[in-house]
């Protein structure tokens, strides 16, 4: 018998839709990506990885800066799992070996080195590798006599590295002091979330501190604070808008305007023309 011509079975791409975590609206993944991972319904700024952040911010043709390897697990830490096993599991899910990436290029024509924490890698936690890579980014900016821009996205210090992770606060701040002595600008962009040792370290050290809308920013979490001081916290506590109103953040900038805003700030802080290409 001749087989009947049947139309090919339709398949539905499971990645066709994405749900906004804030308003629960279903969005076309393609439209969501084209809108820089910002919900077109409520304006919620979704989390993005380091690679996407660099692509969104830097002009075409930017380069990746080679990053150093640092001794892993010097404390031989183990809880329910070995720290080395946790690192292996994180690397199996990521194209990178740790939670900080650095790129160099221009932002709307302004020369800059950009460092990005990647929340998808162990919650963007700051350990020895992150600290060393941050410092290398600052050193590259000093060598190139340009500004350094850092995007924070982290739950805080990496606990399996104990005191060594907390020492990165002093190490990164020392590097920023050297940069300030060269009169080069440091712009810090706080994204959701920026918590723990990073917020207590280099996150608030920028000549200009910018936050994305409604980003969670603080040291300890709201529930921990409420349970400790036993006081009801104000509405919107530890959100970007609250911190701006209290003077801890200089401005809130939507993702669509970040490139032009950062380029303008870099030019202004260095006394350059906003249209000059270094």
């Amino acid at each position: 018998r001749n087989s009947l011509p049947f139309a090919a079975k339709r398949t539905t791409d499971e990645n066709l839709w994405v749900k906004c975590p804030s308003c629960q609206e279903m969005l076309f993944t393609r439209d969501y990506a084209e809108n820089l991972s910002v919900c077109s319904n409520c304006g919620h700024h979704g989390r993005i990885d380091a690679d996407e952040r660099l692509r969104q911010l830097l002009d075409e043709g930017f380069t990746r800066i080679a990053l150093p390897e640092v001794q892993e697990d010097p404390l031989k830490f183990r809880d329910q799992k070995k720290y080395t096993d946790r690192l292996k599991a994180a690397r199996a899910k990521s194209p990178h070996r740790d939670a900080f990436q650095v790129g160099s290029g221009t932002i709307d024509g302004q020369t800059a080195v950009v460092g990005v924490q990647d929340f998808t890698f162990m919650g963007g936690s700051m350990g020895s590798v992150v600290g060393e890579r941050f410092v290398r980014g600052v050193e590259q900016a000093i060598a190139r006599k340009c500004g350094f821009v850092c995007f924070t996205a982290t739950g805080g210090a990496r606990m399996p590295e104990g005191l060594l992770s907390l020492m990165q606060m002093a190490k990164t701040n020392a590097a920023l002091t050297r940069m300030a002595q060269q009169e080069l600008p440091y712009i810090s962009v706080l994204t959701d979330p920026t918590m723990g040792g990073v917020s207590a370290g280099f996150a608030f050290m920028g000549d200009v501190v910018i936050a994305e809308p409604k980003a969670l920013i603080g040291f300890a979490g709201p529930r921990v604070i409420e349970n400790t001081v036993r006081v009801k916290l104000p509405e919107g506590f530890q959100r970007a808008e609250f911190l701006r109103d209290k003077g801890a953040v200089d401005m809130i900038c939507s993702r669509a305007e970040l490139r032009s805003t950062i380029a303008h700030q870099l030019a202004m802080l260095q006394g350059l023309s906003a249209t000059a290409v270094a």
Side-chain angles (χ1 to χ4, degrees):
R1 291 181 304 177
N2 292 330
S3 59
L4 295 175
F6 289 102
K9 183 179 179 181
R10 287 188 177 183
T11 59
T12 301
D13 187 348
E14 62 180 7
N15 296 319
L16 187 62
W17 298 89
V18 61
K19 180 186 287 188
C20 173
S22 179
C23 69
Q24 307 301 307
E25 182 80 6
M26 296 299 295
L27 309 165
F28 275 117
T29 300
R30 183 179 62 184
D31 294 342
Y32 183 65
E34 288 176 353
N35 201 38
L36 307 179
S37 298
V38 176
C39 177
S40 56
N41 183 56
C42 70
H44 174 79
H45 283 51
R47 295 171 183 171
I48 56 178
D49 62 26
D51 291 333
E52 180 60 23
R53 181 70 72 177
L54 290 172
R55 284 193 295 268
Q56 287 186 10
L57 187 72
L58 288 163
D59 300 336
E60 282 191 45
F62 72 88
T63 58
R64 301 294 187 110
I65 292 177
L67 298 170
E69 295 296 333
V70 177
Q71 180 185 1
E72 294 177 356
D73 195 24
L75 303 179
K76 307 300 180 188
F77 186 88
R78 178 177 186 140
D79 45 23
Q80 294 177 333
K81 294 182 181 179
K82 291 181 180 179
Y83 177 40
T84 51
D85 290 341
R86 292 189 184 279
L87 283 172
K88 288 177 184 176
R91 287 167 180 165
K93 301 175 184 177
S94 171
H96 303 297
R97 291 185 60 79
D98 218 286
F100 200 86
Q101 302 302 314
V102 183
S104 176
T106 58
I107 305 171
D108 275 356
Q110 299 297 327
T111 303
V113 175
V114 180
V116 184
Q117 277 184 291
D118 196 335
F119 193 78
T120 64
F121 192 102
M122 297 184 76
S125 52
M126 177 183 66
S128 299
V129 174
V130 169
E132 180 64 21
R133 290 182 172 187
F134 181 96
V135 170
R136 293 295 179 93
V138 172
E139 289 173 344
Q140 285 289 329
I142 293 173
R144 299 177 189 204
K145 293 180 169 44
C146 66
F148 182 64
V149 182
C150 180
F151 286 79
T152 57
T154 176
R158 191 170 296 176
M159 291 299 98
E161 294 191 25
L163 182 62
L164 295 176
S165 65
L166 298 179
M167 289 173 65
Q168 304 311 308
M169 292 191 289
K171 180 176 180 176
T172 54
N173 274 266
L176 291 173
T177 298
R178 295 195 295 272
M179 189 172 190
Q181 290 169 346
Q182 299 296 316
E183 298 184 347
L184 295 169
Y186 167 49
I187 295 177
S188 180
V189 185
L190 315 183
T191 75
D192 182 65
T194 295
M195 301 294 291
V198 172
S199 69
F202 55 80
F204 283 98
M205 293 299 293
D207 298 298
V208 178
V209 180
I210 303 171
E212 287 193 331
K214 297 182 181 179
L216 179 66
I217 304 165
F219 185 67
R223 283 182 300 177
V224 173
I225 296 173
E226 278 195 341
N227 291 336
T228 302
V229 300
R230 303 193 182 282
V231 173
K232 182 68 176 175
L233 298 175
E235 184 71 23
F237 181 74
Q238 289 189 325
R239 292 293 171 178
E241 292 74 12
F242 184 89
L243 271 69
R244 177 199 55 195
D245 294 343
K246 299 299 181 182
V249 168
D250 294 312
M251 68 177 77
I252 295 173
C253 186
S254 66
R255 196 167 290 166
E257 297 175 346
L258 268 176
R259 291 181 81 249
S260 59
T261 298
I262 291 173
H264 176 77
Q265 294 296 326
L266 287 171
M268 181 182 67
L269 290 169
Q270 296 176 94
L272 301 173
S273 166
T275 58
V277 179

